[in-house]
Amino acid sequence: MSFEQLKTKSKNWFDTELSEWGTISKYLGDFKYFGTFHFSPKINPSFEDAQKHITHFKNVLHQKLFGRQSFDMDFLSVIETKKWNKNIHQYEDVKTHFHFLISEPPHYARVHEDFKELLIDCWCLLKQVDSRDEQQVIPIYHAENKPSAEEY
């Protein structure tokens, strides 16, 4: 395929697919908080174990907010085991931790405290987690002096 063919094909894709952005964006979720949670310094869980911890965290949060009702929130998590080092232009191993995005709880959820604190409390209930001071949850859209994505 020549460069001109690829350019035309790409332009056609962008012209047709991106015009559907409104349709696509409604499936992405309405995330309001960004969090980073760390495990205990004594352990470095495997990817699979980290997934189990995240599932357990989400179940604890579900029970606290909704009881037996469905988990009616958008939640997206990413486990990080490597990080890009921009100074040496390569990936380096880091201690396993995870980042997540979560939406605002609905009006009928049982939130009796600051939602950010509730998220940290639910994480800290689990075994094998780092100290409370090492956990971070920040509002995405209305944080003062919001750090850039590279600083997370």
Side-chain angles (χ1 to χ4, degrees), residues 75-90:
F75 182 84
L76 174 69
S77 62
V78 176
I79 300 168
E80 189 170 40
T81 58
K82 296 188 179 290
K83 194 168 197 141
W84 179 254
N85 184 328
K86 59 185 174 186
N87 297 325
I88 60 174
H89 303 288
Q90 68 181 23

Side-chain angles (χ1 to χ4, degrees), residues 42-60:
K42 298 174 186 172
I43 66 161
N44 193 21
S46 67
F47 188 86
E48 293 77 19
D49 288 340
Q51 283 180 314
K52 290 176 186 174
H53 285 305
I54 294 167
T55 300
H56 190 187
F57 161 71
K58 190 175 170 187
N59 288 337
V60 169

Side-chain angles (χ1 to χ4, degrees), residues 8 17 28 40 53 55 57 70 74 78 87 92 110-111 114-115 123 131 134-135 141 144 147:
T8 303
E17 298 299 322
L28 294 179
S40 170
H53 285 305
T55 300
F57 161 71
S70 65
D74 295 320
V78 176
N87 297 325
E92 294 181 329
R110 299 180 291 205
V111 180
D114 180 30
F115 185 59
W123 177 249
S131 69
E134 296 299 317
Q135 316 310 330
Y141 298 110
E144 292 183 28

Side-chain angles (χ1 to χ4, degrees), residues 1 4 13 18 21 33-35 40-41 46 48-49 52 62-63 65 82 96 100 102 107 111 117-118 120 128 143:
M1 181 179 287
E4 286 301 318
W13 183 87
L18 288 183
W21 179 249
Y33 296 94
F34 173 84
S40 170
S46 67
E48 293 77 19
D49 288 340
K52 290 176 186 174
H62 177 182
Q63 287 301 313
L65 291 177
K82 296 188 179 290
T96 302
F100 66 92
I102 192 166
H107 69 282
V111 180
E117 294 300 315
L118 176 67
I120 294 171
Q128 302 177 334

